[in-house]
Amino acid sequence: MNKLRGVARCGLPFPPPTKIIRFQRQGCTNRPFYHIIVADVKSDIHFPPIEQLGTHDPIANENNEKLTSLNYERIRYWLSQGATTSRPVQELLGLAGFFPIHPRSYMTAWRNRKLAEETSKIETTGTNEQEKE
Amino acid sequence: MFKIVPKLQLLSKYEAVNFTKYELVRFRKRKPIHLGTAKSKLFRIPERPNQPEEERMELLRIFNNYRTTMKSLRNFFIVNHSSEFVEASEDPEESRRLFEEDFKRCSAINDQWNKNQKERREKFFAKQHEEEVTFALNRIELEKKKAQELQEAIEEIVRKEKEECKTIITPDMLDKAIEYALANPVDYNFALESNGEKIIGRNTKPSSNQEDKIVAKQ
């Protein structure tokens, strides 16, 4: 079956994805909360999922932690069934160490670093000028 | 077409004509999209984000790496998971036996679930039935009570009417009533004082004689 896979799609490496691992928003207004679910690619966002694989809380708690839970065993199973992953889930799994770190994570990191440097520079120069005065 | 833009007539047939430059006939109210934004309205177009070449190349590199890694990872997951089944199915007899064992185990669990669910379902439906019956009985009693109250109210009205009927003069009692009226003439020419005294007669004046005064019934 694995050998035939390439033939069926004119040399493309994988069968067309029918399942996707993605976020499903579960919170209320102004309070996002996400379930990590596996669903049909074309299913509506409000449809009940095939299976829940974890949760993600994008708002930091009192200890400044963003809590996430993941069921690696089932994620591994669904990936073996040919399920794809959405970009946010890829980023999250990259940060969790399950996937390689997503390029966007690197990009946001270096952009934030650059911005922080610039702001710190402006602050230091601003304070110096005030001291001189 | 050429009559509308006479300048076009001067062009030789070998010269290429860019018709998109000209708006020959305005057949719709909208300005055609190929004419572009007006010079005075160019400020409306937002500036393109300026991405440094270095950053672009770096992103291209790490995205290429990422895609390659992810492809191999997906292959790894697919092959790795399916290899378990391949190992189990080397000997067809053995794999058949394993499958049947697994099926028996799973079906036993399923039967247990079905049994529990059946009990719960029966309990639920019995309770629901009982509730419905009690509700219906309560409704019947309530309706009966309502009907009884209505009947009592009607009977009360009838009773009152019957009592009032006794004073009505029927054709049989007409002669008696006439005789009685003639025998007991009533003089309605009287006045009442504020303290309840009745002064009989049309032209009488109030006197101190107590016999003339009759205390009116309160």
Side-chain angles (χ1 to χ4, degrees):
Chain A
M1 195 64 195
N2 282 336
K3 284 174 190 172
L4 288 174
R5 186 176 289 129
V7 179
R9 289 198 72 211
C10 312
L12 287 173
F14 298 108
T18 53
K19 306 279 183 292
I20 187 167
I21 300 170
R22 56 172 171 80
F23 284 156
Q24 190 178 43
R25 204 194 132 116
Q26 290 289 337
C28 50
T29 312
N30 301 326
R31 209 303 174 206
F33 186 84
Y34 297 101
H35 284 183
I36 295 158
I37 57 142
V38 58
D40 276 325
V41 169
K42 290 180 180 178
S43 70
D44 190 272
I45 54 165
H46 300 296
F47 278 10
I50 296 166
E51 192 179 342
Q52 188 185 344
L53 304 175
T55 55
H56 176 58
D57 190 353
I59 293 178
N61 66 3
E62 56 190 358
N63 300 324
N64 202 21
E65 298 163 334
K66 291 180 181 177
L67 296 181
T68 303
S69 64
L70 294 163
N71 190 345
Y72 286 140
E73 200 182 314
R74 296 305 292 168
I75 291 172
R76 214 172 287 136
Y77 167 74
W78 280 111
L79 288 172
S80 77
Q81 297 299 307
T84 48
T85 41
S86 70
R87 188 179 51 71
V89 169
Q90 279 173 359
E91 281 177 38
L92 194 67
L93 288 174
L95 293 174
F98 190 80
F99 277 173
I101 290 179
H102 197 273
R104 273 191 88 90
S105 309
Y106 285 124
M107 193 187 73
T108 43
W110 79 52
R111 281 185 180 172
N112 284 345
R113 228 176 287 138
K114 198 179 169 190
L115 195 71
E117 259 178 37
E118 281 173 8
T119 48
S120 67
K121 235 183 231 174
I122 289 164
E123 276 175 15
T124 49
T125 51
T127 47
N128 287 339
E129 282 171 13
Q130 281 173 4
E131 280 166 14
K132 279 171 193 173
E133 283 172 13
Chain B
M1 187 191 283
F2 287 117
K3 278 177 188 170
I4 299 164
V5 187
K7 205 178 176 184
L8 287 176
Q9 283 179 328
L10 302 173
L11 297 167
S12 68
K13 63 178 176 180
Y14 301 109
E15 216 170 338
V17 180
N18 185 10
F19 281 106
T20 54
K21 267 203 249 176
Y22 305 104
E23 196 188 350
L24 299 176
V25 182
R26 178 72 69 90
F27 58 88
R28 54 179 187 175
K29 286 183 181 177
R30 199 178 173 79
K31 184 180 155 186
I33 197 84
H34 64 261
L35 289 177
T37 315
K39 267 185 192 175
S40 59
K41 305 293 176 195
L42 279 175
F43 66 90
R44 282 177 184 167
I45 303 170
E47 268 187 41
R48 299 286 298 167
N50 183 25
Q51 191 184 31
E53 185 63 15
E54 258 182 48
E55 196 186 84
R56 197 182 72 80
M57 292 309 288
E58 177 64 9
L59 277 175
L60 192 66
R61 188 181 68 76
I62 55 177
F63 261 106
N64 284 345
N65 281 353
Y66 184 76
R67 270 194 295 273
T68 315
T69 329
M70 286 302 289
K71 249 182 241 173
S72 61
L73 254 179
R74 281 189 73 188
N75 255 330
F76 168 76
F77 281 124
I78 290 168
V79 173
N80 208 32
H81 203 86
S82 58
S83 66
E84 289 173 20
F85 296 111
V86 170
E87 278 170 22
S89 65
E90 264 182 13
D91 183 19
E93 294 265 319
E94 179 68 10
S95 65
R96 178 91 189 150
R97 195 182 61 76
L98 284 173
F99 172 77
E100 276 177 4
E101 268 181 18
D102 189 50
F103 181 77
K104 269 182 194 171
R105 194 173 54 80
C106 292
S107 68
I109 294 168
N110 196 25
D111 289 346
Q112 184 60 34
W113 284 349
N114 281 346
K115 201 180 155 191
N116 292 348
Q117 193 59 30
K118 196 185 173 189
E119 278 175 19
R120 281 174 64 195
R121 196 192 307 125
E122 278 169 3
K123 215 181 273 179
F124 172 78
F125 279 120
K127 197 187 166 193
Q128 198 183 29
H129 179 71
E130 203 180 312
E131 277 174 2
E132 277 173 8
V133 168
T134 47
F135 178 76
L137 289 174
N138 284 343
R139 278 300 305 274
I140 289 165
E141 271 186 24
L142 198 71
E143 288 297 320
K144 273 184 185 171
K145 205 178 168 187
K146 265 185 178 175
Q148 201 184 341
E149 277 175 7
L150 189 66
Q151 190 63 30
E152 277 173 10
I154 291 164
E155 277 174 9
E156 178 68 20
I157 293 164
V158 172
R159 195 178 56 74
K160 271 186 184 172
E161 289 296 323
K162 271 183 184 172
E163 269 181 18
E164 283 172 8
C165 274
K166 285 173 189 170
T167 55
I168 291 172
I169 299 162
T170 53
D172 309 340
M173 295 154 67
L174 190 61
D175 293 336
K176 253 186 187 177
I178 291 167
E179 276 174 24
Y180 180 80
L182 288 174
N184 304 297
V186 181
D187 184 17
Y188 292 104
N189 294 320
F190 63 86
L192 282 176
E193 274 194 1
S194 59
N195 56 2
E197 282 176 17
K198 203 177 190 181
I199 299 156
I200 297 165
R202 189 175 277 267
N203 298 317
T204 50
K205 287 175 183 173
S207 63
S208 56
N209 193 3
Q210 285 295 318
E211 286 172 5
D212 294 344
K213 288 178 183 177
I214 301 162
V215 177
K217 282 178 186 175
Q218 289 289 325

